[in-house]
Each structure stands twice: as C-alpha cells, then as structure tokens.
Amino acid sequence: MLLVRSLRPDRISFCITKYIMNSLGSQFIEPPVLDLHSALDDSNAFSPLIFILSPGVDPSMTLLQLAESVGMEKKLRMLSLGQGQSSVARSLIHNGLKEGDWVYLANCHLSMSWMPELDKIISENILSLFLSEYEDTPWDALKYLIAGINYGGHVTDEWDRRLLNTYINYFFKDEAINTQFYRLSSLPLYYIPRDGSLQSYKDYIAILPNVDSAEVFGQHPNADITSLISETRGLFETLLSLQVQTADSASGSKDNKVIELCNEVLVKLPEDIDYEACDRLTGKNKSPLDVVFLQEISSYNLLLTTIKLSLVELQKGMKGLIVMSSKLEEIYFCMNDGRVPNEWMKVYPSLKLLGSWVQDLIQRVDYFSQWAVTLKAPVLFWLGAFTFPSALLTAVLQISARQGGISVDTLTWEFNIVLRDETLLSEGPEEGIYVHGLYLEGAGWDWKNACLIDPLPMQLISVMPVVHFKPVDQYKKKQKGIYICPTYYYPNRSGEGTRPSFVIAVELKSGSKPSDYWIKHGTALLLSLS
C-alpha cells in the first residue's frame, strides 16, 4: 500500500478494501442490510432500539412495515422530538408502559420540532395531487416543490443550488414519462424502468452497483480519480492523527529531523518587504491598487515574522531553554509529519504539504518584492498570490469607475482570453488587468478555439491562458454559448469557517457542449492547487 500510495494515491482505497477483505473477511466491506426482525428478536421491553442514521435516512417506513408484520401497527406511537414536545414524549412512554405500545421518537440528536414528520405527510399529499389530479403534469410546480422547498432549504450555496436545478430539469419533464426506458445517464444500466409493481422497482434497484461511478452523475471519469485522491488524503491524515504524539517520548532521531527542518525553512525564508519605504514612496494620495498592495505586504510580513519566531522558539523549547507550550508542541508534530502548522495558515488557506507550501510562500513573497522594487503594477497579476483577491478586483473596478466618472456599482467584468503567449506581453491592458496562474478543474481547454473541452484521461487539472479581466457596464447583453464558471481560492470549494473559498464567477465559452454539461462536471477555476 505504501508503494501504491507513492505512485497512484487514487488506488489506495481499493488496496485497503482488498486488505480488509483478505484479513478480516468480505463481510467487513459489504454494507449490511438492516434487518429489524432480528433486532426485535434480540431486544426486550427494557432495552430500547437506537437508530444511528446517516444524513437523510429515515427508518420510519421500515418500522411501520415491521409493526404490520407482527400485528403492532395499531399500537405504534411515533413522535418527532422538538421544542415543547418533551411532555408529549413522556406521556407516550408512560402510556406505552401501561398499554404495551411501541414508541418511536425521532430527531433525538436535534430535539427539534416534529416538522420533518409533518413534512413527510404533506410532500406525499401534494405529490399525489400533482400526478393524479392534473391532465398535464405541472412540472414547474413539482420542480419548485422538490428543488426549492424540500431540498432547497438545505442547500445554501448558490453553485450547489444551480447543480440541483440542473438535475431536476433533466429528470422532471414529459420525456421522462413518455419515453420508454428513459436514460438517466450516459451509462446503459441507469434508466427509468417500465411501469410495474413496487417489488419490480425494488428488483431493478437491487441490480444497480453498490458504488456508482462519476459518469452516472454526468461527470467525467477523471472525477473518480480526484475523489479517490481526496479520500486517500483524508485517510492518511486520520491515520497520522491516531498516532501517539507526545514530546516526552520523541526519539532523538525525530528531534534531529525537526531541528533540521526548522533550520532548512529558516534558511529558505525571504526577508521582509520594506513596508515603510513602500508606504512613503506611494505618497499620501494612494490609489486603490496601492492600498491593496500595502495590505498584502503587511500580511506577508506578519506571516514571515510568525514563522521565524515560532521556529526559533521551537528550537529553544527542544533544547530545554523555554517551556514547550501546546502551540509549540503542535508545530513540532506538524513539522515531523510534513504538515503546515495551523498558526501559519491564518493569513491564507491552502491544502499544500509543508515542503510545497514553503516553496509557494517564497514565490508569493518574491512576487510582491518585485512589485515593491518599481512600485509599478505588474503586467500580469498572479491572483492566487493575493491573500484577499477580492480586494484586488474591487480596487480595479474602483479605478475604472473613477476614470469614467461613474459609480462602481454599475460595473461588472468581461473576460477575454488572451491568445498571445504570456511571455510576449510587455504592457498591461488599457482597462482592467491581465490575470495568469489560473487552473481549470473538471474540463480541458481548447487553446486553438478558446473554449472548454473534455479533459484527457488522467488530466485532472488544465492550465488556463492569460485572461483579461475588463470592467464593463453591467447591463451588457448576455452572450450565448457561455458557461458561468465559479472560481475558488483553493481546491476546498466550501472554504473553512468564516473564510469562503469562492472568489468570482468567470464567463468561459462552453464550446460544443451546453452549459449544463459543465455544471454536472463540476467545472471550476482554481487559484491554487493542493
């Protein structure tokens, strides 16, 4: 597995599955089927059954079927816990003890209201009404019911909502009912079965694979590889966290390794950028771009100081000159594992490991150091080098608005692909900025026709050409054949805590495919990689 981890991290999950199967047996890798009958046989009146559920799973129907099979359907009492429901639950349990009832209490972990159960009773009535009482199926109403109400309340990210609506629009239409064996994906196994009994539908579902491939959802096969690599990363991070980590038991070789890493990082780190000189030379009437530039310098100087100070203190602590605090211990273990300490990640988020993170930091500081030498805006803006790229984009819009004597709120972006090689660009554009260093995930890039195409097998990331971010009137006419591509700061699209990863939506030509095709692919731009 270590060999496979080095060569093909996306294959690790298969190796582990095989290892478990060979060592412990196949029953440990096959998802068990819930058998409530056997659970009932093992239980008694003094021991409750506790359902530990995955998100979205509801065992109530299975419980109802069990009650019917043993003649308890009239003595089953169900309640969803929540505010004001505790007294009702107590009453049900009290009466159940006397009458021999079954009492089912839902949402114990949330203790919220009984609305989920009420939702279930009402989503069924409305669905039956729409499908049975109307001559023409009201698809728009059904789409809103499912996507807007049932799922929409749980989906807070606009890009996730767009994906949900894309799927709903594909499934909820006349063709899905009128076309025999309507295809649900590009794979032949997935289709709407012919009309039949409930058991026939269950039989069809039973023949479907336990693990669905990415193509089922309209994604490229490369998405499987990306997912498996992410799964491998999470697995090994978990394994590292399970190791006993105590500074007292650290061997001498481990200490020597950490000290050597500390010295290596300290030698590589660049000097601080002279903030005072840049502040003085930019003058009193600073442009919005100057303000952003100085903010970035301040952030990186603070980060460099933090790193240098923490490494020096760590070495002192390892020599016994100062007390090893919990913060220093965390840095020690991270250095030993090749991870970036949390203390260093406060300036900007990243998924890189320690070695590549330090190298990336050096390049970022060097980018702003060169800017500080001339105090002239660079020809090419490396958007991923900015700790807050949104501030840079806002500054560019402000400059354009001042030049045109208009409100910044009336401006938006136009994105033009620069066909020339970036090494041949010696001057910036008259309006806006040239942006480079963008990466495309979930699609390939046709350099000749400047549009999206399917990526090659194993091509997880495509390098984008230079993009001209040009401020324009926001009431411009929308173009056809455009995919609205979300741009994220790093591969973790959801971000962390209060720091979102989303930066801006970029318009790209969708090529021969409709925009829905790329939505299902999860196509996005990234400012940095892992």
Side-chain angles (χ1 to χ4, degrees):
M1 282 193 286
L2 290 176
L3 180 62
V4 174
R5 166 67 180 87
S6 302
L7 300 176
R8 286 292 298 275
D10 58 298
R11 303 287 100 179
I12 275 291
S13 61
F14 299 106
C15 292
I16 292 175
T17 300
K18 186 174 181 180
Y19 173 77
I20 293 174
M21 184 172 63
N22 293 338
S23 302
L24 301 177
S26 59
Q27 67 271 24
F28 286 91
I29 60 147
E30 296 173 354
V33 178
L34 176 62
D35 186 354
L36 277 185
H37 275 282
S38 61
L40 180 64
D41 293 338
D42 291 339
S43 68
N44 56 58
F46 303 98
S47 300
L49 296 177
I50 300 178
F51 295 91
I52 302 177
L53 308 176
S54 301
V57 176
D58 183 3
S60 58
M61 289 304 298
T62 307
L63 192 60
L64 282 171
Q65 292 172 1
L66 176 65
E68 291 176 359
S69 67
V70 297
M72 287 292 294
E73 67 272 18
K74 294 183 179 180
K75 299 178 74 66
L76 174 62
R77 305 290 180 260
M78 306 181 76
L79 177 69
S80 180
L81 286 179
Q83 186 175 5
Q85 296 299 307
S86 57
S87 60
V88 181
R90 280 194 296 267
S91 177
L92 289 176
I93 295 172
H94 180 72
N95 293 333
L97 288 172
K98 291 182 178 180
E99 306 295 334
D101 297 339
W102 285 2
V103 179
Y104 172 61
L105 302 178
N107 290 335
C108 294
H109 65 303
L110 296 177
S111 190
M112 293 177 66
S113 68
W114 50 278
M115 285 303 294
E117 185 63 26
L118 181 61
D119 269 347
K120 183 176 183 300
I121 296 171
I122 296 175
S123 295
E124 288 181 359
N125 291 343
I126 293 180
L127 191 61
S128 177
L129 174 68
F130 282 166
L131 295 178
S132 305
E133 301 298 327
Y134 286 83
E135 183 177 350
D136 297 323
T137 305
W139 292 115
D140 290 339
L142 276 173
K143 290 176 185 177
Y144 182 72
L145 174 67
I146 303 299
I149 299 176
N150 275 27
Y151 288 104
H154 302 282
V155 180
T156 57
D157 184 88
E158 286 299 321
W159 302 105
D160 291 340
R161 191 185 301 274
R162 181 178 73 163
L163 176 61
L164 175 61
N165 287 327
T166 298
Y167 284 129
I168 290 292
N169 290 332
Y170 181 75
F171 298 138
F172 284 59
K173 55 185 179 181
D174 288 329
E175 290 86 341
I177 293 179
N178 300 329
T179 304
Q180 190 174 17
F181 303 118
Y182 180 75
R183 296 280 292 273
L184 299 177
S185 81
S186 60
L187 300 181
L189 188 59
Y190 296 83
Y191 56 87
I192 296 178
R194 68 170 77 247
D195 288 346
S197 64
L198 176 61
Q199 186 59 44
S200 69
Y201 300 143
K202 291 182 176 179
D203 292 340
Y204 165 71
I205 293 173
I207 68 173
L208 296 176
N210 289 329
V211 179
D212 297 313
S213 67
E215 294 166 284
V216 175
F217 307 100
Q219 297 181 321
H220 193 275
N222 286 348
D224 272 333
I225 300 173
T226 302
S227 176
L228 291 169
I229 290 176
S230 177
E231 183 179 323
T232 297
R233 185 187 185 109
L235 172 66
F236 280 102
E237 287 177 352
T238 302
L239 288 175
L240 281 174
S241 70
L242 293 175
Q243 293 188 88
V244 178
Q245 301 207 354
T246 57
D248 295 337
S249 62
S251 64
S253 59
K254 184 185 292 186
D255 288 351
N256 293 334
K257 172 187 173 183
V258 172
I259 290 176
E260 184 177 342
L261 277 174
C262 289
N263 292 329
E264 185 178 338
V265 173
L266 285 171
V267 170
K268 288 183 177 180
L269 286 180
E271 296 296 326
D272 291 1
I273 303 174
D274 193 338
Y275 178 89
E276 288 73 17
C278 293
D279 183 33
R280 182 177 64 257
L281 294 174
T282 50
K284 294 183 178 180
N285 299 322
K286 294 178 172 56
S287 69
L289 202 57
D290 292 333
V291 174
V292 172
F293 168 62
L294 291 173
Q295 289 174 344
E296 292 293 329
I297 288 179
S298 177
S299 296
Y300 280 111
N301 283 348
L302 177 62
L303 176 58
L304 290 173
T305 300
T306 300
I307 296 174
K308 294 172 183 177
L309 181 61
S310 61
L311 291 180
V312 170
E313 289 185 343
L314 175 60
Q315 290 179 318
K316 290 181 179 179
M318 294 173 65
K319 295 176 182 178
L321 300 178
I322 61 174
V323 177
M324 284 284 287
S325 63
S326 58
K327 184 185 297 185
L328 290 180
E329 285 187 352
E330 192 261 343
I331 296 174
Y332 175 90
F333 295 131
C334 286
M335 296 289 289
N336 181 64
D337 295 339
R339 295 180 289 117
V340 183
N342 292 328
E343 186 71 15
W344 303 358
M345 299 283 283
K346 294 181 179 180
V347 175
Y348 62 92
S350 176
L351 295 182
K352 295 180 183 294
L353 296 178
L354 181 61
S356 56
W357 186 87
V358 171
Q359 189 61 37
D360 179 66
L361 173 62
I362 294 171
Q363 294 174 354
R364 288 166 176 258
V365 175
D366 181 64
Y367 174 79
F368 287 102
S369 297
Q370 294 181 22
W371 189 344
V373 171
T374 61
L375 292 180
K376 181 181 178 181
V379 175
L380 297 173
F381 281 80
W382 178 16
L383 203 57
F386 289 78
T387 58
F388 283 96
S390 299
L392 168 67
L393 298 178
T394 301
V396 176
L397 290 178
Q398 289 175 339
I399 293 174
S400 181
R402 291 180 183 180
Q403 292 174 346
I406 57 176
S407 172
V408 70
D409 296 333
T410 64
L411 292 177
T412 187
W413 293 104
E414 180 179 270
F415 306 96
N416 300 313
I417 302 299
V418 179
L419 300 179
R420 287 183 293 167
D421 188 277
E422 64 179 54
T423 58
L424 301 178
L425 298 174
S426 57
E427 295 183 357
E430 294 183 2
E431 296 181 82
I433 57 175
Y434 288 143
V435 173
H436 74 143
L438 299 177
Y439 304 94
L440 190 62
E441 184 178 41
W445 184 255
D446 186 336
W447 288 74
K448 181 179 180 181
N449 299 309
C451 65
L452 296 172
I453 55 173
D454 278 322
L456 298 174
M458 297 293 293
Q459 184 185 10
L460 307 183
I461 295 294
S462 302
V463 177
M464 282 290 292
V466 174
V467 182
H468 178 195
F469 282 50
K470 181 181 179 181
V472 294
D473 187 348
Q474 64 177 342
Y475 300 107
K476 64 172 184 166
K477 184 179 179 181
K478 297 294 182 182
Q479 300 180 13
K480 294 182 179 179
I482 293 296
Y483 170 63
I484 307 300
C485 184
T487 303
Y488 298 95
Y489 193 82
Y490 67 133
N492 182 3
R493 300 187 183 188
S494 61
E496 292 183 358
T498 58
R499 177 74 183 264
S501 182
F502 174 76
V503 178
I504 190 175
V506 175
E507 296 178 352
L508 300 175
K509 291 183 180 180
S510 59
S512 60
K513 308 291 186 181
S515 60
D516 287 356
Y517 182 84
W518 303 115
I519 292 175
K520 292 179 182 178
H521 271 51
T523 301
L525 289 171
L526 302 176
L527 300 187
S528 63
L529 304 177
S530 59

